[in-house]
Structures are given as structure tokens and as C-alpha cells.
Amino acid sequence: MDRPIRLFPFVGVLALLCAQAALSGPPATTPALPRFSEEREAAALYFVKKNAPEIAPLLEQLKKSSPAQYQQEIREIFQVTEFLADLQDDPRRHELELKIWKTENRVYAAVAKLPTLDAEERKKAEASIHDLARALVDLDIQVLELKSDQLSKELADVKDDLSKARDQIDKQTQARFDALLEQAKKRKKA
């Protein structure tokens, strides 16, 4: 299962809000997103509260300043919760993807603060953002390694099945032949 498109632009939007930049145009729409509902909003906010409580105030600010964008962000967060729920059977992948989500949101929160910082604080924040970018690259590599391991195992299983099929070619040929003859007899009777 591939990770959904990185969907956490709201903190980037909030960075613009924090810098008093005007939002221009309607928010981008993603056709694959689920509809907004109170239930999905509650699930998304619970997920944020549990995994990234530092962005809850930013969401609340967005809810007041741009309800349409807020709904878009809630829909995107809900979609991520669904993606992660689908990974429950793969705990390692689930853990990595959740770490990626948390780290991305730490980056977006740090970026949102940049316009308000003085030069010295900005330099420290940029160093922190660089470290977080490195952490994201490391996490992406871990996901690729995990996928590679899973695909290697799957390939080994397919090769094993192929070897068994080749070893039993005469037996399988006879079984297929018998089944075809039986099928022809049934057609003749009908």
C-alpha cells in the first residue's frame, strides 16, 4: 500500500496566516478525499490530539479564519487516519508512517513560526528544520527498506511456488487433462 499524497499543508497555510499573508483563491481539492462530517471531524481531532497536540491550536485558528480550508484539512487528516488504520496488520509500517506524519507536522509547525522569529532564532529554527528534513529522509529510507524486504520475501515465495510447479509438471498436466475430459463429458450429457 502506498502512502497517500503528503496531505498536511494546513500548517503551511497557517504559516501564511501567521505572517498575515492573504490566502488567495479557493483551497485545492482532492477528489479522493472523504466528505466532511462531524464524525470525521471528531476522529481527525482525536487523532491530532493524541499524536500532534501542538497543531490543535493551529487548526482551531484555521477553523475561525477559514472554515472551508479547515474542513479541507480535517478531511485530509481523516484520510490519513484511514490510511494508518489500513496498516494495523503491518505494525512496523504503521509505526514508520505515523512517525513520518508526526515529523512532517513538526516541520510545518516550525516553518509556520519562521516569519515571527528574529535572525538568531530563525537560524536555530532552520537548523532544527534541517534536522527534521534529515529525519524524514531517514524514515522514507526505512519505509523503502521495509517494502524491499517484503517484496524479497514475496519473490522468494513465488520462486518456491514456481520450483514446486516445475517439479510436479507431469502430475499437474495429468490433473488438468483429467479435468478437461470430465468437463467435456458433462457438456456432452447436457
Side-chain angles (χ1 to χ4, degrees):
M1 168 180 295
D2 289 328
R3 177 182 310 127
I5 299 171
R6 299 271 158 86
L7 297 173
F8 317 103
F10 72 87
V11 181
V13 170
L14 289 172
L16 296 174
L17 290 173
C18 290
Q20 278 89 40
L23 293 174
S24 59
T29 58
T30 306
L33 289 177
R35 288 182 176 214
F36 181 86
S37 70
E38 290 179 6
E39 294 81 11
R40 289 177 177 149
E41 178 184 27
L45 292 175
Y46 176 79
F47 178 76
V48 165
K49 182 179 177 183
K50 181 178 175 184
N51 295 294
E54 66 278 4
I55 64 172
L58 300 173
L59 277 172
E60 191 59 38
Q61 179 184 352
L62 188 60
K63 185 176 185 177
K64 293 174 186 171
S65 64
S66 179
Q69 184 66 35
Y70 169 78
Q71 287 187 8
Q72 174 80 10
E73 303 308 332
I74 290 296
R75 292 168 60 212
E76 291 174 353
I77 293 168
F78 181 79
Q79 186 178 50
V80 170
T81 67
E82 292 294 295
F83 169 71
L84 290 171
D86 288 343
L87 293 176
Q88 289 296 330
D89 293 338
D90 187 351
R92 180 69 183 134
R93 176 83 186 274
H94 180 274
E95 175 190 346
L96 288 170
E97 294 293 351
L98 182 57
K99 282 182 180 180
I100 289 170
W101 186 85
K102 288 178 178 183
T103 305
E104 285 175 336
N105 280 286
R106 288 176 53 207
V107 169
Y108 295 132
V111 168
K113 294 177 185 175
L114 283 178
T116 64
L117 302 177
D118 64 36
E120 187 176 318
E121 290 173 329
R122 183 179 181 92
K123 192 171 185 176
K124 289 178 187 177
E126 286 175 353
S128 175
I129 292 168
H130 186 271
D131 292 344
L132 291 169
R134 175 60 188 248
L136 283 169
V137 170
D138 289 342
L139 288 166
D140 285 340
I141 288 170
Q142 289 178 51
V143 168
L144 290 172
E145 287 172 342
L146 181 62
K147 285 181 179 180
S148 175
D149 292 345
Q150 291 169 337
L151 288 171
S152 293
K153 183 186 179 311
E154 187 177 336
L155 179 60
D157 290 345
V158 169
K159 285 184 175 184
D160 185 48
D161 291 345
L162 177 60
S163 177
K164 287 177 186 175
R166 286 183 174 149
D167 290 345
Q168 299 176 1
I169 195 164
D170 292 335
K171 184 178 177 181
Q172 289 180 353
T173 300
Q174 188 62 45
R176 177 85 45 106
F177 175 75
D178 293 342
L180 291 169
L181 287 181
E182 186 63 33
Q183 194 176 47
K185 288 179 187 177
K186 287 181 182 178
R187 285 189 182 151
K188 213 175 202 184
K189 290 180 183 179

